[in-house]
């Protein structure tokens, strides 16, 4: 529809492995399925991507909803 959104970034102290960051961001589709719009659904995807790059492997850093909420709350 031509709208643009800025997605907040999340700070990480140490990048271990970037594999899985894109897959983590794609998890924003879960937020869309939960009824959020793109503007509200993308920040969780960015946070999951940030969490994913802090551990080795492609899915080891994927959080539970509770860990995701805590990570996002701690940074914004």
């Amino acid at each position: 529809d031509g709208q643009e959104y800025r997605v907040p970034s999340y700070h990480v102290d140490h990048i271990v492995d970037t594999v899985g960051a894109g897959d983590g961001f794609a998890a924003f589709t879960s937020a869309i399925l939960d009824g959020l719009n793109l503007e509200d659904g993308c920040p969780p995807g960015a946070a999951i991507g940030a969490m994913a790059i802090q551990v080795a492997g492609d899915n080891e850093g994927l959080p539970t909803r509770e860990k995701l909420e805590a990570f996002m709350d701690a940074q914004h």
Side-chain angles (χ1 to χ4, degrees):
D1 62 4
Q3 293 182 326
E4 295 182 16
Y5 301 104
R6 291 195 179 266
V7 179
S9 60
Y10 291 87
H11 177 79
V12 296
D13 290 322
H14 185 70
I15 298 171
V16 175
D17 185 359
T18 60
V19 172
D23 292 337
F25 181 80
F28 84 92
T29 56
S30 174
I32 302 304
L33 293 172
D34 284 344
L36 296 177
N37 59 30
L38 284 177
E39 187 173 16
D40 295 330
C42 285
I48 293 170
M51 295 175 82
I53 65 174
Q54 296 183 73
V55 299
D58 59 351
N59 63 7
E60 287 76 2
L62 299 179
T64 62
R65 287 183 187 256
E66 293 78 21
K67 287 183 181 181
L68 173 61
E69 290 174 11
F71 179 81
M72 291 177 69
D73 288 345
Q75 293 209 22
H76 289 111

